[in-house]
Each structure stands twice: as structure tokens, then as C-alpha cells.
Amino acid sequence: MSPAAEFATIDAVRDFNRFYTNFLGVLNKAYLDSPYTLTDARVLFEVGFRGGVAASALTRELHLDPAYLSRIVKRFREDGLIETTPDPTDARSQVIKVTEKGQVQFEEFVRRSRAQIAGYFEKLAIGEPERVVAAMQTIKDTLGMDRTTASPAIIRNHRAGDIGWIVQSQARFYTEEFGWDDRFEGLAAEVAGKFLSNFNPQKDRCWIAERSGVNVGSAIIADGGDGVAKLRLLYVDKAARGLGLGKLLVDECIRFSRDAGYSSLSLWTNDILDTARAIYVKAGFRLTAEEKHRMFGPELNGQTWVLDL
Amino acid sequence: MSPAAEFATIDAVRDFNRFYTNFLGVLNKAYLDSPYTLTDARVLFEVGFRGGVAASALTRELHLDPAYLSRIVKRFREDGLIETTPDPTDARSQVIKVTEKGQVQFEEFVRRSRAQIAGYFEKLAIGEPERVVAAMQTIKDTLGMDRTTASPAIIRNHRAGDIGWIVQSQARFYTEEFGWDDRFEGLAAEVAGKFLSNFNPQKDRCWIAERSGVNVGSAIIADGGDGVAKLRLLYVDKAARGLGLGKLLVDECIRFSRDAGYSSLSLWTNDILDTARAIYVKAGFRLTAEEKHRMFGPELNGQTWVLDL
DNA sequence: GTCATTTGTTGGACTCAGTCAAGTAAATTG
DNA sequence: CAATTTACTTGACTGAGTCCAACAAATGAC
């Protein structure tokens, strides 16, 4: 970073810190009408979340004074929220766990905290919460020291709005990356719309890859007739590349197609999409047809791949 | 947001809050080896940044107790960091300003704070600081928006991904609000897809209402044949209701349809959508047909409205 | 086996941040 | 003009959190 840019960047961070200090201050009022303080809640949360922590780990994790923590632990033990047992591997240390009563209190904290945030998010436009979460993820992943603990992705079936999301994200990506025009989005929307309109749970399926509530990938299996399943709209967002999500989605598609009784699985793609092609090849697909076209503006090499099930 | 998606999103926010509380805790140690506290710094910063503030403004801005602030101001005055002069327009109030000495201390605070953050940023890869700052901007703009003084909405033509956004936002809204099923999203996607596939700039148009980079509304005019324009997919997001965007979009539709040489403008809607209907009535549309249907699950009253141009 | 280190616990003094109540003086409202 | 509200000030107080010192017991390093 150049020094000039540095000041602007740093002051932007300082500005954000002032803003977020305020924001957190408002949120933390949630604990006001309980007999516990914010620090109490943080300790109980940490103990409840992991299960069986040493006091020394807590002081490091939460940046608390050992003396202070010791007193909090003592109070919690007297209140019956946690119990401590000596650590068998290190007799100096002790293992701290929540009791059932502690678990109840812990869940109460979680409930309150969630309600607070939900109150804020209610006022937001569709898609805004996801943008915020994605931004938070970016900050945490970048500033957080240990890079290994990025939150994992899950794969689930589609819900309301997901089809629209698929169209939107693919259209943006192919337009920005390859300069495809409107017609691609039109085709994607039509394909996706027909998929939903003719949806048959036995023969059709849509998978969404999601990470901390944000959609990051998709794949669709639709009935192509004559025992052929069509794999469509495979996509993994830039933010989630390199995690093997593409392969996971394709595997899911193959398994489902087999179980649904299809005899083969077919897909249409364009040869510029290298990573996707690599996944198809690895999964055993073979190229059955190829033709140049200009369906979306630039000249492209359309390819049909087939896998016998 | 659906409740299921909500938990993942909210817990991601809670996770970030825990992380950032820690991060801020570390940063705020910057004031430790100065004779001033974090609150002192906040006060001096606010006074230094604006110049000539009333005490009451400070209490509001920094969420401080008047008594508490009064003492801080007193101490600062004794230390020669600030000076207070009576407000000529209101003798109860006083104007607080930094002295030269105060300015020096203020700059020292800024320097320290910057050094702290710079220390963190030194370890980052090229481009990462910018990503972090952009993410912070997103969070601040989304959460911190004082929605009353919010940046105004603009209306523009569609871009890549907007059609997908329309499908997504409408599907989510009608599913959550009225319990409509998948078939609505399917129909919306097909309609929107056909619109793009057959797009004719002379006869078709799509408007997007946007506020600080976020889509908040939409409307489409498509050629219905026989000189009839079809108004479709009118939508204003929850976050932007009450700003008259719906009317603005409909007006835009009417003007375009007239200019494009259509003889009438027709639209299909459902009677439960009260605010939309009010807009149509006001614009001069008249109800020409009505029929009960169950296209999207619950029983609905479909209505066709027409405006002669 | 000794010595330094780590993991806790306890006591006491202290500061910071904030609350509460009461009071003064000016401004605003009816 | 009286009553209420607003802008501060002061005193008395509290509870959260920090700092320091001392201590016990176990562990690790050499």
C-alpha cells in the first residue's frame, strides 16, 4: 500500500470502528434486564459453545484478566450454571462445562441476541442481509489470524427466491467475465422458470450451496425425456471457488439421476469454462457433440457431454 | 427472510460481532499508556472533528450521560485542551472548541489509532486492505443507513442480473407474505425470460429502482400485440415502501407506452395487493375482468386492469 | 533434583463508566 | 405571566473491570 492510500484506508477503518462500536453498544443493551453482564454472557457463550474449556484458554480467547475470570467462574459455579472438574492430563488445570441450568441460560442469551439482530434485519431490502453477512465474512477471514477456519458450505434443496438468484448470479458472472449479452439471462430465466413450472419431485431437483446463509452455488437436474436427465445451471460463485463445491454439486446430480432411474445424464456447456469441464471429465462424462454458435454475443464453442448411468 | 435462512444469517452476524468485539478490544488498548481513556478520546475526537459543539449535541452523538460529559469537559478545560464560550444564541448552552494544545493531543490520538491499525494491515496481502475497507463500507451503508435521510432512489434501465433479481425478490416476497408456492416463481421466471429473449428496445422496457447500489423496485413493459402494452412484475421492496416509488414506476410505464405508440396499457394483478391497486386507480386504470384462481396455491382474485392511452 | 514457568485462586486498592437526584438558569409554551 | 422544558452542573454512589501482589500446586527444562 502506498502511504497516501494508506491514510485513506486506515481512516476508513477507524470510521468503521467508530460506527461499529456504536452499533455493538446498542446491541449489547440486550443483556441489560438480565442479572448478567456482557462479559458474563461472553464467558458463558464461550463455555457453552465449545464444551469443556480450561480457564487459561478463556482468558486468552476473550482477553480477560485471569483474576477477573476466576471470580466470574466462581460465581457461575455457585449459581449452578457451570461445573468444573480437574483436567486428568494436567492437574493444575480444570475443565469448565455448562450444567443443564447453564445450558438454559446460554440458550436464553442466544435467543435474545438473535432477536436483537433480527429486529435490525427486518428493515432491510431483499438480499441486503446476505450482502452484509458476506461482507462480515470477508472482514473476519481477512483480519482473523487463523485462515483455516473459514465457515463450511452446505448443500440443500431450493427455496423461494433461489431460482431468481441462480438467474441473477449467472447473468452477472457471464456478462462481466465473458461479455455475454441479455439473451443469456433470458434463456437462463426461461429454462429455470420451466423447471419450476413443470417441477416433478421424482424426476427434477435443484441444489443450492450455501455458506453462512449466503447462496454460493447451484445445480439443477431436469427431465429431458427418453430416460435422459439434463444437468443445468451449474454454478459456483467466485467467493467460494476452490472448495470443491462444483464437484460436490455434480456428484449430487449424478447420484440423484441414478436413483431417479434415468439411463443417462446429459449437459450442454461452452468450452471456455475450463474448471467446469475438468469436473465433467473427472466424473466420466464424454463429449458427444460440439458446435460453434453466437447465441449470447461472442462466438462460443458449445459442447454436449453425456454420462451413462 | 424465511425463518430457516434467518438463523444461519443471524448467527453469522453474531459470530462476526463476537469476533469484532475482540478486535476492537485489542485496538482500544492504544489509549492505555496515555493519561486519557477511550471515552476521553471519543469526546476529544468529536470536538476536534467538528469544531464548536454544544454539550447536548455531544451527549446525543456519543450516547453519554450529561453529568458524565460535564465532568469530562470540566477536566479538559482545566487541562487546557478545550475552551468553552457561551452560545450567543442560547445563554444556557455553551460552545466547546479545542485549544491549540487540544489540537495537538487530538492529533496524537489519531496518530496512535492509525499506527495500531497499520500494524494489523502490514501483515495482509496486496489488495486485502481494500477488500476489507469495501466490506466495511457495505456494512456501514446497509446497517447504518439513517433511512429518513437515506440517499434517494434513482430509476434506471435494467442491467445484467436484474431480471434474476426481479424473480428472486418477488418470489421471496409473495411466498413469505401470502404463502404462494413455487409455481409463482416459475411463472415469473418464464415471463421475465421471454421478455429478455424477445426484447425489442422500441416496444419493451424494464425499469429498476435503485438506492445506493441496491435494487429496491422494478417494472416491465412488454408488447402484448394488437397495440396493447402489458405492465408486468411491478414491485417495490419492503425497505423502500412509502417513498412513492410504485407511483413513479407506473408513471414511467405509462409515459413510455404512450411514446411507443401503444393504444392501451393492460395489466394483471391480484386484489390482495392493495397499495398497487390504489396506484392503478389513481393513474386512471379501470377494472375490466376478474376471476378466482388457484394458480399459486391459496385462492386469489385475479384482476385485469386497462388504461386507454 | 532444582529452578523457572504455567495454571489457577484470593485479597485489596483502584479506576472507569455510568446512574440518580437535586438544583440553577435560561428558553419555550400556553 | 406561570408552567414546563431544555441545557447544563454538582454531589453521592455503584458496579464492571483492572492492577498488583502473594500463594499453592503442578509441570517442564536442564
Side-chain angles (χ1 to χ4, degrees):
Chain A
M1 265 191 310
S2 71
E6 209 170 70
F7 270 7
T9 308
I10 289 176
D11 285 347
V13 174
R14 302 202 318 119
D15 186 52
F16 176 76
N17 285 350
R18 266 193 305 279
F19 164 76
Y20 216 74
T21 300
N22 245 317
F23 180 69
L24 288 172
V26 174
L27 284 188
N28 290 339
K29 296 246 153 79
Y31 303 103
L32 267 189
D33 51 341
S34 90
Y36 299 101
T37 69
L38 176 60
T39 310
D40 287 349
R42 288 175 71 208
V43 170
L44 192 57
F45 187 88
E46 204 65 21
V47 175
F49 187 68
R50 308 150 64 147
V53 215
S56 55
L58 284 180
T59 57
R60 249 178 286 115
E61 209 62 36
L62 301 173
H63 298 114
L64 290 178
D65 183 59
Y68 186 33
L69 178 70
S70 174
R71 271 177 266 262
I72 292 176
V73 167
K74 189 181 173 190
R75 181 161 45 84
F76 276 2
R77 200 170 36 215
E78 282 161 8
D79 286 1
L81 296 181
I82 59 172
E83 52 190 4
T84 57
T85 49
D87 184 340
T89 67
D90 185 340
R92 293 168 306 177
S93 186
Q94 52 177 311
V95 181
I96 306 173
K97 274 187 189 147
V98 288
T99 61
E100 266 180 54
K101 189 179 166 193
Q103 185 66 27
V104 170
Q105 184 60 53
F106 166 65
E107 277 156 16
E108 171 63 16
F109 280 152
V110 171
R111 205 191 54 70
R112 275 181 204 223
S113 163
R114 278 183 177 154
Q116 277 270 323
I117 294 166
Y120 255 89
F121 274 29
E122 259 165 25
K123 299 170 218 147
L124 300 185
I126 281 184
E128 280 188 319
E130 286 82 356
R131 274 181 32 156
V132 169
V133 168
M136 288 176 169
Q137 218 68 47
T138 302
I139 295 173
K140 201 180 154 215
D141 290 347
T142 314
L143 293 182
M145 11 256 110
D146 88 86
R147 309 254 165 167
T148 50
T149 56
S151 43
I154 58 158
I155 292 185
R156 57 165 178 79
N157 291 331
H158 71 287
R159 286 200 291 252
D162 283 338
I163 297 299
W165 176 82
I166 292 176
V167 173
Q168 178 187 18
S169 46
Q170 298 219 13
R172 285 215 187 145
F173 174 69
Y174 290 117
T175 304
E176 277 169 34
E177 214 70 13
F178 304 114
W180 294 7
D181 63 25
D182 265 13
R183 287 171 292 174
F184 171 71
E185 186 165 8
L187 181 67
E190 279 193 72
V191 166
K194 285 212 183 81
F195 168 79
L196 272 190
S197 299
N198 308 324
F199 191 73
N200 168 5
Q202 262 73 53
K203 290 291 186 179
D204 302 320
R205 186 134 314 176
C206 172
W207 293 268
I208 297 289
E210 176 188 301
R211 201 171 52 175
S212 2
V214 182
N215 291 3
V216 292
S218 65
I220 280 180
I221 289 291
D223 192 348
D226 301 327
V228 179
K230 298 264 184 192
L231 197 174
R232 292 200 159 126
L233 300 167
L234 178 70
Y235 176 73
V236 175
D237 196 274
K238 259 195 279 188
R241 302 267 162 88
L243 301 174
L245 280 181
K247 185 186 177 322
L248 226 61
L249 286 163
V250 169
D251 287 349
E252 211 53 56
C253 288
I254 294 172
R255 179 152 21 134
F256 172 78
S257 302
R258 220 167 248 147
D259 292 353
Y262 286 109
S263 59
S264 72
L265 178 55
S266 150
L267 65 89
W268 184 81
T269 184
N270 286 279
D271 68 344
I272 45 172
L273 307 171
D274 299 321
T275 34
R277 200 185 43 218
I279 293 171
Y280 302 141
V281 170
K282 213 163 196 175
F285 282 82
R286 57 196 164 67
L287 184 62
T288 58
E290 194 163 7
E291 81 292 328
K292 284 197 190 337
H293 70 92
R294 286 185 157 281
M295 289 170 68
F296 312 131
E299 183 171 289
L300 295 165
N301 231 347
Q303 300 183 324
T304 305
W305 294 75
V306 175
L307 173 74
D308 296 318
L309 297 171
Chain B
M1 263 189 314
S2 71
E6 212 170 67
F7 270 9
T9 310
I10 287 177
D11 285 347
V13 175
R14 302 204 316 120
D15 187 52
F16 176 77
N17 285 350
R18 243 172 287 128
F19 165 77
Y20 216 75
T21 299
N22 248 318
F23 181 69
L24 288 172
V26 174
L27 285 188
N28 289 339
K29 298 245 152 82
Y31 303 101
L32 267 190
D33 52 340
S34 91
Y36 299 101
T37 69
L38 177 59
T39 313
D40 287 349
R42 289 174 70 207
V43 171
L44 191 58
F45 186 88
E46 202 66 22
V47 175
F49 187 68
R50 308 151 64 145
V53 216
S56 54
L58 285 180
T59 58
R60 250 178 285 115
E61 210 62 38
L62 302 173
H63 298 117
L64 290 177
D65 183 68
Y68 186 30
L69 178 69
S70 175
R71 269 177 271 263
I72 292 175
V73 167
K74 189 182 174 190
R75 180 159 46 82
F76 277 2
R77 197 170 37 214
E78 282 161 8
D79 287 0
L81 296 181
I82 59 172
E83 52 188 5
T84 56
T85 48
D87 184 338
T89 67
D90 184 341
R92 293 169 308 175
S93 188
Q94 53 178 310
V95 181
I96 307 172
K97 274 186 189 146
V98 288
T99 61
E100 266 180 54
K101 188 178 166 194
Q103 186 65 29
V104 170
Q105 183 60 54
F106 166 66
E107 277 155 15
E108 170 63 15
F109 280 152
V110 171
R111 205 192 53 71
R112 273 180 203 228
S113 164
R114 278 182 178 154
Q116 276 272 322
I117 293 165
Y120 256 89
F121 274 29
E122 261 166 23
K123 300 170 216 149
L124 300 185
I126 284 182
E128 280 188 320
E130 286 78 2
R131 274 183 28 165
V132 168
V133 168
M136 287 174 169
Q137 217 66 48
T138 300
I139 294 172
K140 202 179 153 215
D141 289 349
T142 313
L143 292 183
M145 194 181 280
D146 182 2
R147 302 264 164 173
T148 50
T149 64
S151 41
I154 56 158
I155 292 185
R156 58 166 177 78
N157 291 332
H158 71 289
R159 284 200 294 252
D162 283 339
I163 297 299
W165 176 81
I166 293 176
V167 173
Q168 179 188 18
S169 45
Q170 298 220 13
R172 282 209 195 160
F173 175 69
Y174 290 119
T175 304
E176 276 169 37
E177 214 68 15
F178 303 115
W180 294 7
D181 62 27
D182 267 10
R183 286 171 293 175
F184 171 71
E185 186 165 7
L187 180 66
E190 280 192 73
V191 166
K194 286 214 182 80
F195 168 78
L196 272 191
S197 300
N198 309 324
F199 191 73
N200 169 3
Q202 261 73 54
K203 290 290 186 178
D204 303 318
R205 187 135 312 178
C206 171
W207 294 268
I208 297 288
E210 177 189 299
R211 203 172 53 176
S212 37
V214 183
N215 291 2
V216 292
S218 65
I220 280 180
I221 289 289
D223 192 349
D226 301 328
V228 179
K230 297 265 185 191
L231 196 173
R232 291 198 161 127
L233 299 167
L234 176 70
Y235 177 73
V236 175
D237 196 275
K238 259 195 288 184
R241 303 268 162 87
L243 302 173
L245 280 181
K247 185 186 178 320
L248 227 61
L249 286 163
V250 169
D251 287 349
E252 209 58 53
C253 288
I254 294 171
R255 181 155 17 138
F256 172 79
S257 302
R258 221 168 248 148
D259 293 353
Y262 288 109
S263 60
S264 72
L265 177 56
S266 150
L267 66 90
W268 184 79
T269 184
N270 287 279
D271 68 343
I272 45 172
L273 307 170
D274 298 321
T275 34
R277 200 184 44 218
I279 293 171
Y280 302 141
V281 170
K282 212 162 195 174
F285 283 82
R286 56 197 163 69
L287 184 62
T288 60
E290 193 162 9
E291 80 294 327
K292 283 197 190 340
H293 69 91
R294 287 185 155 279
M295 288 171 68
F296 313 130
E299 184 172 289
L300 296 166
N301 233 344
Q303 299 183 326
T304 305
W305 294 75
V306 175
L307 174 73
D308 297 318
L309 297 169

